[in-house]
Amino acid sequence: MFNIEIANAHCDVPCGIYDPISAQIAALSVIRMIDLMSALQKNDSLEYINTITRHISVKEEEAEKVKHEIRIIWGDFIKPPQIEQYPEIHTIVHNIMMLGSANRQHVSRDKAIELLEAVNKFAEIFWEIKGVEIKKVKANYLPNEEIVIPA
């Protein structure tokens, strides 16, 4: 049908348009959903069942979003020279993948904090690769946890 001998491809987005903030916001959302679930008064009402179900659904979606966003940066942006400079990057990414799954499976604020900390470590390396100074700040919204951003 089509007589195409050569196909050229490029990355998903224009080069250089990557930012770990999406993963950081998703990790914050996981923590927030756990906090909201913990604050609910358990009962048998449909309202409670609806609310807890929605919180669980969002928690799982956001944990998966963390994994997705980190996979994109790791797979599309991180190249062999950066891997040589930061050989721990594979372990950090693997840890994020495992913590993302753990946060989908469980309701543990400690695990959610670990996920955010791992994403922040990834963000530190990402911005260092880009030559951008960073600062650590408390997020301006609940759960007010610390994130790494460009200075």
Side-chain angles (χ1 to χ4, degrees), residues 4-5 28 31 48 80 90 95 98 116 123-124 141 145:
I4 299 172
E5 294 180 25
L28 287 166
I31 298 166
Y48 170 80
H90 292 316
N95 191 37
M98 299 300 290
L116 178 60
E124 287 178 26
Y141 34 79
E145 296 295 336

Side-chain angles (χ1 to χ4, degrees), residues 65-130:
K65 189 183 294 182
V66 170
K67 294 169 62 172
H68 174 77
E69 294 294 328
I70 295 300
R71 272 195 307 268
I72 288 171
I73 296 171
W74 178 68
D76 293 352
F77 174 76
I78 303 294
K79 303 290 187 245
Q82 289 92 24
I83 294 168
E84 285 180 30
Q85 189 176 1
Y86 303 95
E88 71 276 20
I89 195 76
H90 292 316
T91 301
I92 293 168
V93 170
H94 183 259
N95 191 37
I96 291 168
M97 297 303 127
M98 299 300 290
L99 286 165
S101 294
N103 277 282
R104 291 188 70 197
Q105 296 167 359
H106 306 286
V107 180
S108 166
R109 193 173 202 286
D110 290 342
K111 284 287 181 202
I113 293 292
E114 284 182 52
L115 177 63
L116 178 60
E117 289 171 350
V119 172
N120 279 336
K121 179 63 180 162
F122 183 89
E124 287 178 26
I125 291 172
F126 172 83
W127 291 117
E128 194 170 310
I129 289 168
K130 302 271 285 182

Side-chain angles (χ1 to χ4, degrees), residues 3-70:
N3 189 13
I4 299 172
E5 294 180 25
I6 297 175
N8 293 314
H10 199 264
C11 60
D12 295 67
V13 296
C15 290
I17 303 178
Y18 299 98
D19 193 326
I21 193 65
S22 296
Q24 291 167 298
I25 291 170
L28 287 166
S29 296
V30 171
I31 298 166
R32 180 70 176 139
M33 290 303 105
I34 291 170
D35 289 350
L36 289 172
M37 286 188 284
S38 297
L40 287 175
Q41 287 289 92
K42 185 177 179 188
N43 61 62
D44 294 329
S45 73
L46 289 177
E47 185 66 29
Y48 170 80
I49 293 167
N50 180 68
T51 301
I52 197 78
T53 301
R54 292 184 71 216
H55 291 341
I56 292 166
S57 178
V58 170
K59 175 184 68 78
E60 291 194 12
E61 288 171 10
E62 295 299 312
E64 190 59 36
K65 189 183 294 182
V66 170
K67 294 169 62 172
H68 174 77
E69 294 294 328
I70 295 300

